[in-house]
Amino acid sequence: MTRYWHGGVPGLAPGDMVEPHPPAVVDDCPICTARANGQTYTDEHGRVIDPPTGRPDQVYITTDREYARFYASKVWLGDLYVVEPAGEVLESTEDPFPTWTCESARVLSVYSRAVRLTPGQRRTMLNRWGRADMAYALRARGGGR
């Protein structure tokens, strides 16, 4: 059986449903504001930072626990859940990590509450993300598996 993870809104309990919702906006956060407006924020070095969700009408799930943990850490006191997809499950091509979208997802268990990453954990995840992005780009150009 495949274990799916979702990191996000806090306070859900087993049996609750994770539903699509608009992006959270933190006051004075230009990245948050851009995402909420469906735009992509680019920093002073031309790097794209956290582009808007391609499917705001869907819930994102992953088989990569640390990737879901990262998203839980982005939400104030966000939680990490083991979930079961509900409705049609579609593979997402937005990220280099294994992700899918679905209409909603049922919480099977709460793995971790109020997720916060240490600076070291955040660096480790961002390094993994950079390597995954490079491998993804290489595959897209036909240069790898």
Side-chain angles (χ1 to χ4, degrees), residues 17-135:
M17 298 302 288
V18 178
E19 303 285 349
H21 58 83
V25 177
V26 175
D27 290 342
D28 300 321
C29 171
I31 298 166
C32 300
T33 302
R35 286 192 88 219
N37 292 326
Q39 301 169 340
T40 300
Y41 180 83
T42 305
D43 73 5
E44 65 274 4
H45 302 290
R47 293 178 294 211
V48 170
I49 308 292
D50 203 14
T53 300
R55 295 294 311 267
D57 61 326
Q58 298 279 294
V59 169
Y60 285 78
I61 59 176
T62 181
T63 53
D64 188 308
R65 183 183 66 202
E66 295 309 305
Y67 185 58
R69 183 188 308 275
F70 173 80
Y71 274 91
S73 77
K74 290 177 55 172
V75 176
W76 182 252
L77 301 176
D79 295 339
L80 179 60
Y81 304 104
V82 176
V83 298
E84 175 181 59
E88 184 178 13
V89 178
L90 301 171
E91 186 173 4
S92 172
T93 58
E94 294 175 56
D95 299 308
F97 294 100
T99 56
W100 294 265
T101 64
C102 52
E103 295 168 17
S104 62
R106 181 174 314 283
V107 175
L108 298 178
S109 64
V110 179
Y111 188 81
S112 186
R113 295 271 189 208
V115 173
R116 290 287 165 257
L117 298 182
T118 66
Q121 289 170 319
R122 193 165 296 280
R123 276 191 306 276
T124 297
M125 185 65 209
L126 292 175
N127 286 336
R128 271 189 71 208
W129 206 317
R131 288 190 306 273
D133 276 343
M134 285 190 288

